[in-house]
Amino acid sequence: MMNLAVRNLSKSYHQHPVLNLTQASFGKHSIEGLIGPNGAGKSTLMGLLTRRIPPTEGSIIFEVEDKHHDLIPLSSHQVAQIGLVKTNQRIQGFESLTIRDSLRLACTPPTQETLKSVFSKEQLSEAVEAEIDDYLSRFTFNEPDGYARSAGEKKLLDILRCLILKPKMLLMDEPTAGLPEDVTQQVMQEITRQTKANDMRIVIVEHDLELIWSFCEYVHFLVDGEMLFEGKPEDVKANRVVAEKYLGL
Amino acid sequence: MAYLIFSITLMLVYIGLAQLLHIQFGMLGIPNFGIVGFWGLGMYSVGVLNVQWDFSFIPALILTLLLVALVANGLGRLILKLEGQAMLCATLAFSAIVALLVITEKWLTEGVVGLGTIKYPFDAGAMTEPLYFLILLLIVVGIQLFINKLHVSRLGTLIFSIRDNEELAASLGKDTVKIKLELFTLTCALMGLLGALSAPLNQFLTPNMLVPSVTFAVWIALILGGKEHSMGAVLGVFITFGLFDLLIESYLPVAPEYAVMVPNFKLFLYGAVLVAVLMYRPRGVLGHSAAGARQELP
Amino acid sequence: MMLNVNGLSSGYGDVTVLEDITFCVESEIFTVLGANGAGKTTLLKTLAKLLPVKSGTVEWRGETITDMPPYELPSRGMAYVPQEGNVFPDLSVAENLSIGGLLDLPSREERLSEVYELFPRLVDRSEQLAGSLSGGEGQMLAVGRALMQRPEIILFDEPSAGLSPQFVDTLFQKILEIREKQNVTIVLAEQNAVKALEIADRVLVLSLGKIHLLEDARDFDKNRLMEAYHI
Amino acid sequence: MWLIRDSVFIGILQASPLILAAMGFTLIFYLNGFINFAYGESITYGAYFAAMFNVMFGFGFYLSIVPAALLAGALSVATYFLFFQPALKRGVRSTELIILSIGVSFMLRYGLVLFVGAENIYVDEPPIAYFSFLGVGATNLQLVALVLVLVVVFNLYWVVYRTGFGEVVRGLANNKELAMVSGINPHKVSVSVWFLGGVAGGLSGVFSGVFALANPLMGWNLILITVMVSIVAGVGSVKGALVVSIIAGMLTAAVTLVSKPLYAEVILLSSFIGVLWYRGGRLR
């Protein structure tokens, strides 16, 4: 049972509202899509959910494994610690970390990152190192022990870094923009596998609707900061309002 | 000979400050332009406790460490969330405030008259100064060992990730605010410790020791040596302080009429070298860290 | 032939957004459609020279402008209205209009009265800071600023974004008026496909950075647009 | 009552170099977005250029101000071309740009010391006369300085807010891309702004210490407070720089009258850190 529920969530910049969401909930299905025309507020909503952006008002509740988390008072690192993680739309990365170090960073527990631990010999467990090796063998990087150089590698690394955190729910903000087609397919297969194996939930924001229709079980349609329609992909696809909003009627 | 020992000991102080700045700026990305403030606070705190209030050296040292750590922690809470330029200005302003208060609070610091005499914590006769040199050497070596460990530790990886992209690190569940504050407090307190240990070295403290040139000398050394390299601080201070303050000012036969110009020439060259390094070799003489062979920026 | 784009590739950093785009614009209203992320904004920014051309060429009235800096274009008759940040918020409306400084004083006054005639609401606001305008007024000012350059072509990037439906009608009417009365060529990137098709002469549809379709607006089939949008 | 009267009068009189420096500094900061510590040397060199024309070339006292200001402007443009433009082009980050500006500042300052020495240089002053006005006294030099500063400040204000050039500068700082597609060449404008900023800095140097002397550290002594005044005023607001520097001047005068002048600085510096914290570190 997993539920990320939003109530009366709003965000305004300089008194200009970009999002005003009465009610929405994510996580009932393993892969859900969030679509909508430009400026609908999709990225803003993702930022609000992971507490990168402070909301103007509203509530965000994350229920997972019978625990009930109010996300509003938390900061973004605490949200990540309880298992709600987001991949980035814009290409981001740590330019001075190698690909392997970047993945290691994601799986290092806080106890190994204290001042005291500087002098201890404790290393990452073999299981974790094996997991990193596994990822690096299945997803091809030019130099796994060097740096992610191309935009595609950086984007892939960003996604893998989130996956290796083993989140309960993963929000993906335009995961395929900048990824080569074959890597996109590989990533989608991997997350589909993990939703089954680890009981992970995925919410994808994507403007490549083809991908939404083929992978999502449920689709939310956001327009002008409000959830206008939601349902199974075929229902959303067949809905006249959706086509009209995309074409601008 | 006594002067040489004084000079090398002072050089160790500068090496220590540059090493700590390496952690703050080179690794963590905090542009601390208030070095002289923390160092000066430590120095004057020991001076006041020792001379005005008759504390013996070790208790004075401990109280000083606590004081500087407290001040650094408070300042850190105010400024560590700011953008780089704002942090730089705020720390510079902090050091100016320390220097001003040392002048105004005569009842505590004797103002421009100066505060003295601070004695060495022990008396070993002719061996006092060399022994003191050894203590500082141990501290500097200790800091260096810590830096070397830090570079290859998991904490080091986290620190680099915060410098590169703090928001992204936080989104991976890292409490970046706490780490930054802890490290800032620790390194600033150690700057205060170096200040405290400089008090007996200088023996007589005056406000004009707290000029921003101290901060800049440390910065120039670190940028020149290589801000990201674990040995950059050491090399940088050897080149700047070692070359000018040790070799040229003390040993090069300069005609007396030119001797007064040497410090000014030194500062001019500091500026020129800093500009040249930033324009042509922004990563300093040593470049990036040998430990992690870090990536060249585009 | 006015604007001639040949084999154009472009993007941000090492990300290629547009690939091998070839088309030409005559004296017409040329509409660029496409879903989110199809590359409409990238295309217009590249034409306005705010993004470097990775490969291919751009010719404007017979002159190659592929490597020209953006500030050389207004004097050659090309104006650009970006989607966001299309006014100077800390400048007054009047200052926004006069800023280019390309025109000598008499013709500037003449031009100014033309712009005020087209958008009478700007007259009352002329001393107000542009940052305090409403969305619609800001869009009018952005168009007015471009018109002040006495352009032969205007590149519009999603002018309807964030505007109320009835104002979108007004705005498109104004664009048509500019086209017809002043004989200005219009390149119009729009997500609002239905409205844009009402005034378009020709339509270019982008899909994931490539040309999906380029044809006359009269022959345009909406189903093929849906196809490009994957709806 | 006397406190307010005296602080207003002395404040404005003494704040005049700060007003000029803050207005000039804020223009450059506005346009290029980094804190240029080398701006302090525009101030110092302005004073030295004036002294050079006055003492060496025997220019009349007031006459030497003009070439001094122009030379300070030229020096500012030279630093832009030699150091800052190449760095900006390479996309050097703002923190590194500030460090670069400190290096440039050192070079210029100690280059000057090597050249003319570290001692104060005194200027041939016209005969001093005292005036008394509503119970506060001032010398003729102070009054002339006040009038000159008012004239310069008015002109600078007029250029920035009332001319096409001012529009272009504000436009470019507001939105560089939009300014470029409006036909503005940012490189040309930068040169003019660095010149204008340098001139204002040079005049500030001339008026520091009311023409009396030139000292290699005078620019450095003024730059920190100049930076802070500009930031508190809101970067790019020439209006704000004017108002805040007058307030800072009056505050300094008031604190000086009742206590020690150094406390005024402590208060200004602390409130600066407070303002930064309150704004969450956004400089703009």
Side-chain angles (χ1 to χ4, degrees), chain C residues 26 30 35 37 53 71 106 117 139 142 150-151 185 188 211 218 225-226:
Chain C
E26 311 288 337
F30 185 87
V53 172
Y71 45 84
E117 203 177 308
Q139 198 58 255
R150 203 182 282 282
T185 298
L188 178 65
I211 294 187
R218 279 166 303 182
L225 186 61
M226 309 265 283

mmCIF file of all heavy atoms in Angstrom, chain C residues 26 30 35 37 53 71 106 117 139 142 150-151 185 188 211 218 225-226:
data_model
loop_
_atom_site.group_PDB
_atom_site.id
_atom_site.type_symbol
_atom_site.label_atom_id
_atom_site.label_comp_id
_atom_site.label_asym_id
_atom_site.label_seq_id
_atom_site.Cartn_x
_atom_site.Cartn_y
_atom_site.Cartn_z
ATOM 1 N N GLU C 26 8.699 32.336 -47.249
ATOM 2 C CA GLU C 26 8.452 33.428 -48.199
ATOM 3 C C GLU C 26 7.759 34.559 -47.450
ATOM 4 O O GLU C 26 7.701 34.548 -46.229
ATOM 5 C CB GLU C 26 7.539 32.918 -49.327
ATOM 6 C CG GLU C 26 7.956 31.613 -49.961
ATOM 7 C CD GLU C 26 9.185 31.764 -50.839
ATOM 8 O OE1 GLU C 26 9.442 32.894 -51.297
ATOM 9 O OE2 GLU C 26 9.883 30.772 -51.059
ATOM 10 N N PHE C 30 4.162 31.856 -41.460
ATOM 11 C CA PHE C 30 4.732 30.523 -41.445
ATOM 12 C C PHE C 30 4.619 30.002 -40.017
ATOM 13 O O PHE C 30 5.196 30.576 -39.094
ATOM 14 C CB PHE C 30 6.192 30.608 -41.897
ATOM 15 C CG PHE C 30 6.866 29.280 -42.051
ATOM 16 C CD1 PHE C 30 6.785 28.588 -43.254
ATOM 17 C CD2 PHE C 30 7.596 28.728 -41.011
ATOM 18 C CE1 PHE C 30 7.414 27.376 -43.410
ATOM 19 C CE2 PHE C 30 8.225 27.510 -41.156
ATOM 20 C CZ PHE C 30 8.143 26.828 -42.356
ATOM 21 N N ALA C 35 4.571 19.290 -30.321
ATOM 22 C CA ALA C 35 4.269 19.085 -28.907
ATOM 23 C C ALA C 35 5.372 19.701 -28.049
ATOM 24 O O ALA C 35 6.375 20.188 -28.562
ATOM 25 C CB ALA C 35 4.151 17.593 -28.625
ATOM 26 N N GLY C 37 8.600 20.155 -26.176
ATOM 27 C CA GLY C 37 9.908 19.545 -26.385
ATOM 28 C C GLY C 37 10.186 19.123 -27.806
ATOM 29 O O GLY C 37 11.179 18.449 -28.067
ATOM 30 N N VAL C 53 24.629 27.705 -34.208
ATOM 31 C CA VAL C 53 24.272 26.691 -35.196
ATOM 32 C C VAL C 53 25.333 25.601 -35.143
ATOM 33 O O VAL C 53 26.532 25.883 -35.185
ATOM 34 C CB VAL C 53 24.239 27.331 -36.603
ATOM 35 C CG1 VAL C 53 24.055 26.271 -37.670
ATOM 36 C CG2 VAL C 53 23.123 28.370 -36.680
ATOM 37 N N TYR C 71 22.890 40.835 -32.158
ATOM 38 C CA TYR C 71 22.582 42.267 -32.211
ATOM 39 C C TYR C 71 22.760 42.867 -33.606
ATOM 40 O O TYR C 71 22.492 44.037 -33.826
ATOM 41 C CB TYR C 71 23.411 43.046 -31.178
ATOM 42 C CG TYR C 71 24.864 42.664 -31.115
ATOM 43 C CD1 TYR C 71 25.787 43.210 -31.982
ATOM 44 C CD2 TYR C 71 25.314 41.754 -30.154
ATOM 45 C CE1 TYR C 71 27.112 42.857 -31.928
ATOM 46 C CE2 TYR C 71 26.634 41.384 -30.088
ATOM 47 C CZ TYR C 71 27.536 41.947 -30.980
ATOM 48 O OH TYR C 71 28.861 41.591 -30.924
ATOM 49 N N PRO C 106 12.870 61.475 -35.829
ATOM 50 C CA PRO C 106 11.562 61.693 -36.469
ATOM 51 C C PRO C 106 10.848 60.379 -36.780
ATOM 52 O O PRO C 106 9.672 60.207 -36.451
ATOM 53 C CB PRO C 106 11.906 62.420 -37.767
ATOM 54 C CG PRO C 106 13.279 62.918 -37.606
ATOM 55 C CD PRO C 106 13.953 62.068 -36.600
ATOM 56 N N GLU C 117 -1.124 53.148 -31.963
ATOM 57 C CA GLU C 117 -2.383 53.000 -32.681
ATOM 58 C C GLU C 117 -2.833 51.541 -32.676
ATOM 59 O O GLU C 117 -3.996 51.219 -32.494
ATOM 60 C CB GLU C 117 -2.177 53.487 -34.115
ATOM 61 C CG GLU C 117 -3.445 53.919 -34.804
ATOM 62 C CD GLU C 117 -3.127 54.455 -36.191
ATOM 63 O OE1 GLU C 117 -2.237 55.348 -36.291
ATOM 64 O OE2 GLU C 117 -3.698 53.952 -37.148
ATOM 65 N N GLN C 139 2.550 41.127 -23.328
ATOM 66 C CA GLN C 139 2.678 40.534 -24.662
ATOM 67 C C GLN C 139 2.529 41.601 -25.750
ATOM 68 O O GLN C 139 3.268 41.606 -26.734
ATOM 69 C CB GLN C 139 1.609 39.437 -24.816
ATOM 70 C CG GLN C 139 1.862 38.451 -25.924
ATOM 71 C CD GLN C 139 3.173 37.716 -25.791
ATOM 72 O OE1 GLN C 139 4.114 38.012 -26.498
ATOM 73 N NE2 GLN C 139 3.244 36.766 -24.877
ATOM 74 N N ALA C 142 5.684 43.496 -25.891
ATOM 75 C CA ALA C 142 6.738 42.729 -26.555
ATOM 76 C C ALA C 142 6.599 42.815 -28.072
ATOM 77 O O ALA C 142 7.584 42.999 -28.792
ATOM 78 C CB ALA C 142 6.688 41.276 -26.097
ATOM 79 N N ARG C 150 11.038 48.309 -37.089
ATOM 80 C CA ARG C 150 10.598 48.307 -38.483
ATOM 81 C C ARG C 150 11.059 47.025 -39.192
ATOM 82 O O ARG C 150 11.800 47.060 -40.182
ATOM 83 C CB ARG C 150 11.156 49.523 -39.215
ATOM 84 C CG ARG C 150 10.351 49.904 -40.446
ATOM 85 C CD ARG C 150 10.991 51.084 -41.138
ATOM 86 N NE ARG C 150 10.692 52.336 -40.462
ATOM 87 C CZ ARG C 150 9.527 52.983 -40.579
ATOM 88 N NH1 ARG C 150 8.590 52.513 -41.332
ATOM 89 N NH2 ARG C 150 9.338 54.121 -39.957
ATOM 90 N N PRO C 151 10.626 45.874 -38.679
ATOM 91 C CA PRO C 151 11.157 44.616 -39.192
ATOM 92 C C PRO C 151 10.485 44.201 -40.498
ATOM 93 O O PRO C 151 9.388 44.664 -40.812
ATOM 94 C CB PRO C 151 10.803 43.618 -38.093
ATOM 95 C CG PRO C 151 9.566 44.176 -37.475
ATOM 96 C CD PRO C 151 9.649 45.662 -37.597
ATOM 97 N N THR C 185 6.662 39.572 -42.792
ATOM 98 C CA THR C 185 6.647 38.111 -42.764
ATOM 99 C C THR C 185 6.614 37.641 -41.315
ATOM 100 O O THR C 185 7.301 38.215 -40.463
ATOM 101 C CB THR C 185 7.895 37.565 -43.462
ATOM 102 O OG1 THR C 185 7.861 37.996 -44.817
ATOM 103 C CG2 THR C 185 7.936 36.049 -43.398
ATOM 104 N N LEU C 188 5.682 31.918 -36.745
ATOM 105 C CA LEU C 188 4.930 31.814 -35.514
ATOM 106 C C LEU C 188 5.054 30.404 -34.955
ATOM 107 O O LEU C 188 4.546 29.456 -35.539
ATOM 108 C CB LEU C 188 3.453 32.142 -35.835
ATOM 109 C CG LEU C 188 2.432 32.065 -34.721
ATOM 110 C CD1 LEU C 188 2.710 33.114 -33.672
ATOM 111 C CD2 LEU C 188 1.025 32.269 -35.295
ATOM 112 N N ILE C 211 11.669 17.359 -38.750
ATOM 113 C CA ILE C 211 10.484 17.814 -39.467
ATOM 114 C C ILE C 211 9.557 16.627 -39.678
ATOM 115 O O ILE C 211 9.936 15.615 -40.256
ATOM 116 C CB ILE C 211 10.856 18.450 -40.815
ATOM 117 C CG1 ILE C 211 11.646 19.738 -40.567
ATOM 118 C CG2 ILE C 211 9.598 18.753 -41.633
ATOM 119 C CD1 ILE C 211 11.931 20.546 -41.801
ATOM 120 N N ARG C 218 -4.033 25.245 -46.022
ATOM 121 C CA ARG C 218 -5.359 24.894 -46.546
ATOM 122 C C ARG C 218 -5.537 23.383 -46.662
ATOM 123 O O ARG C 218 -6.612 22.851 -46.464
ATOM 124 C CB ARG C 218 -5.568 25.541 -47.914
ATOM 125 C CG ARG C 218 -5.997 26.997 -47.820
ATOM 126 C CD ARG C 218 -5.846 27.649 -49.165
ATOM 127 N NE ARG C 218 -4.462 27.532 -49.643
ATOM 128 C CZ ARG C 218 -4.022 28.042 -50.772
ATOM 129 N NH1 ARG C 218 -4.835 28.654 -51.603
ATOM 130 N NH2 ARG C 218 -2.756 27.938 -51.119
ATOM 131 N N LEU C 225 -1.533 15.996 -37.451
ATOM 132 C CA LEU C 225 -0.958 16.751 -36.340
ATOM 133 C C LEU C 225 -1.032 15.907 -35.054
ATOM 134 O O LEU C 225 -0.064 15.801 -34.303
ATOM 135 C CB LEU C 225 -1.726 18.057 -36.158
ATOM 136 C CG LEU C 225 -1.181 19.045 -35.126
ATOM 137 C CD1 LEU C 225 0.215 19.486 -35.494
ATOM 138 C CD2 LEU C 225 -2.092 20.245 -35.003
ATOM 139 N N MET C 226 -2.194 15.281 -34.852
ATOM 140 C CA MET C 226 -2.358 14.412 -33.684
ATOM 141 C C MET C 226 -1.291 13.322 -33.674
ATOM 142 O O MET C 226 -0.768 12.943 -32.626
ATOM 143 C CB MET C 226 -3.735 13.740 -33.717
ATOM 144 C CG MET C 226 -4.897 14.684 -33.930
ATOM 145 S SD MET C 226 -5.665 15.207 -32.410
ATOM 146 C CE MET C 226 -6.614 13.771 -31.996
#
